[in-house]
Amino acid sequence: MNIMELIHSYTPSKGWDEMKGVNGIREEYLNFLDSIKNLNLQDLEFKQQVSSELFMNQGITFTVYSDNEGTEKIFPFDILPRIINHSEWEMIDAGIKQRLKALNIFLKDIYSTQSIIKDGIIPAKTIANSPGFCLQAMGISVANDIYSHIAGIDLIKGENGEWYVLEDNLRTPSGVSYMLENREITKRLFPESFNSNKVLKVNNYPILLYNNLCSLSPRPISNPVVVILSPGIYNSAYFEHTFLARQMGVDLVEGRDLVVDNDIVYMKTISGLSRIDVIYRRIDDEYLDPLSFNPNSILGVPGILNAYRKENVAIVNAIGNGIADDKAIYHFVPQMIDYYLNEKPILNNVPTYFMNNPEHFSFLKENIQNMVVKRTNQSGGYGMLMGNASSDKEIDLYLKQIEKSPDEFVAQPIIQLSTVPCFIDGKLVARHVDFRPFAIYGKDEITIIPGGLTRVALKEGSLVVNSSQGGGSKDTWII
Amino acid sequence: MLSRIAESIFWLNRYAERSAVIVRHVKVNYSISLENNFSDHSYWPQLLAYYGGLNPKEIELAIKDLNRAAAFLLVDDSNPFSFKENISKSRMNAKGLQDHISKEVWEQINFLFLTTKSISGNKPNSKTNFQNLIETLDKNIVLYNGLIDLTIARGLSWDFLNLGRFIERTFLTIDWLDLVYQKQNYQFEDNDDVVYWRTFLLMESGYEYYLKNYKNLNSNSNIIQQMILDKDFPQSIFYSISRMKKYILKILEKEKNIDKRMILREFEKINAQIEYADLAHIKKQGLQNYLFNLKSELNNFSQTVHQNFFS
């Protein structure tokens, strides 16, 4: 069977399919399909096998915490790239920049004057109830007034092809290494298609990130010491930590490698202590400093918060960013854009219902089959209920949990995610996807890398794309 | 270099060296036993005791089945000293220092880990082709060593990798000499058991070297000469200690803030035992005593390295 027969037999989903619309193949896919028209089924199967071996031997893995067996898993990869046209990308680019600007001002505001509360845009109770609000971050000034240096914004495409923001990830967004590795592998699998489609490059991300980190050094020196702080080899994103350290040529350190003396952070080297200027931490606030946060944390560094407060070290992303990507605060981002920037939001929000509002809770109960309920303080697909995929018993149990602590839950209508073609079991099948582009917020500009991580729900009909819940990924081409 | 990284690099190669020796020893004995099932000329009892911690009764049971014995040493999950366990530890160290080793080395150690992970040694499958498995592991651990040589920059990582490799090699050579000469009552006089010594030399990759360099007939003393005092034989104690000297001096040269005197003093205690030794000296001291003293000094030096660089 050749590829054209596979494409003809492809059945798009009922919602928005990104390759095949009512009028046939969409324009952005035409060139790619033409460039692979001479391939057959065996060629695709061979490419799939090559990609699996590359991922396996390179140890490109993630860890699932609830899995008691082998903790490391390969992130499944689909060989066919997802293609997004340039005009659509320009809108996404502008929308993310606008959103990040507003969220960054919000972070500065909320940890200083709190005018957004005083002006009644966000209720004080919402901030106070958020587990992401960090009292220890009050009054701390950060370099260049930038809080969210590195962001990953989760986007989805709805039934009519319109884009929505699903989540803002402003703490330690992961996935950028998969974006870069997926690209490297796709280049090897489809070298000619890659050239003929004029795909925009993503591979300068590590250089941009390194330069951005260096610019934050509190010491005005030409070669500041930058490190990545990782929880260690058992962390779910450890592959990414090592990948970035290698790509940027910086040390990958763990909490036990660092020590604070006289409010200066040092790393322990074989020839003594060596001062650190910038820390790109991949550890949550809670575990960062046992003297200020969780006293039982063995991942963090005692005294690091004081060193940060005294501006002897830069910590990226800033401490306290959890308030800005809290699922309850998400609802207010369009108002923030209006309040801080006096602009209309370019990207849509998904309507959000608060479970501490009795009317919203009643609405949820009546429409639960069409709703997804999330815990405000969890991510990665954990603690979530999909109304259309849960039994009555599961729903009853979940509703009881909401009644016990309504502040911890929000609900959203289920959006039928767009689908793209995936090569699974020798067939071309439609699977739902989301999209996480990555942004670097620099002193002079915000750069959105033209690409991103597309996550795929590999099970037929499933809308859950998280790697921890059986999702996979594919390369994303902006052409 | 971070102390933790230096320690991981050191242990990465210690475990890898041990893995390489295990598979080489199993390979030689497996091959000999195929012709002559568990003959007196094989070293299975010593292998099962040294790399498996088995007692004589357990060894008696284990050597009834050649494949089971090989599986126990290579991939059995119940053996905490198996090849699989050593590679797993080596890989765990490598995982924590991917930014200090080359991508090629990481992929190779990862390949070895995945190859052994996919085999359960608890219930050796009769269809498992052990000959192929042993060949695969042997070739790939050699490839790992080749990639280390080809792709690691000659900086501190390289120095600590080699320090780990040669400390481990010295420990293993001392222990194996002790094991094989124990059966000979530590005698220097030849026992005429050519096959016994041939197997041992094959296990140490030194048979051809021996044939070219040792023409007189006293195998017992020739092998002591080759395995302890030979300057050119890469598995000899002399060679390993001379390499350790090279790398420890290079590390001390690069790291100015280290207490050099203490480290050099401990090193010279071992070095003196080998550099000024000859067969007569070892004979006078007694081989067993000589090996025991050498191992004690090596332990002390190893501890000094830990105290000064890793803690």
Side-chain angles (χ1 to χ4, degrees), chain A residues 61 80 89 99 125 155 166-167 187 214 220 222 225 256 268 292 297 319 325 328 338 358 364 388 392 394 455:
Chain A
T61 58
L80 298 174
W89 173 252
R99 206 167 167 98
K125 192 184 167 195
L155 303 174
L166 196 61
E167 267 178 29
K187 274 199 276 189
C214 285
S222 56
V225 179
R256 58 190 161 134
K268 299 176 206 165
S292 304
S297 170
I319 290 169
D325 62 15
D338 180 35
L364 169 77
N388 61 352
D392 289 347
E394 283 169 331
R455 296 185 299 176

Side-chain angles (χ1 to χ4, degrees), chain A residues 58 72 238 257 270-271, chain B residues 1 4 91 106 255 258:
Chain A
Q58 289 178 23
E72 284 178 52
Y238 186 73
D257 297 323
I270 56 171
S271 53
Chain B
M1 176 180 275
R4 177 178 57 82
R91 191 249 188 189
W106 161 244
E255 294 303 317
I258 296 281

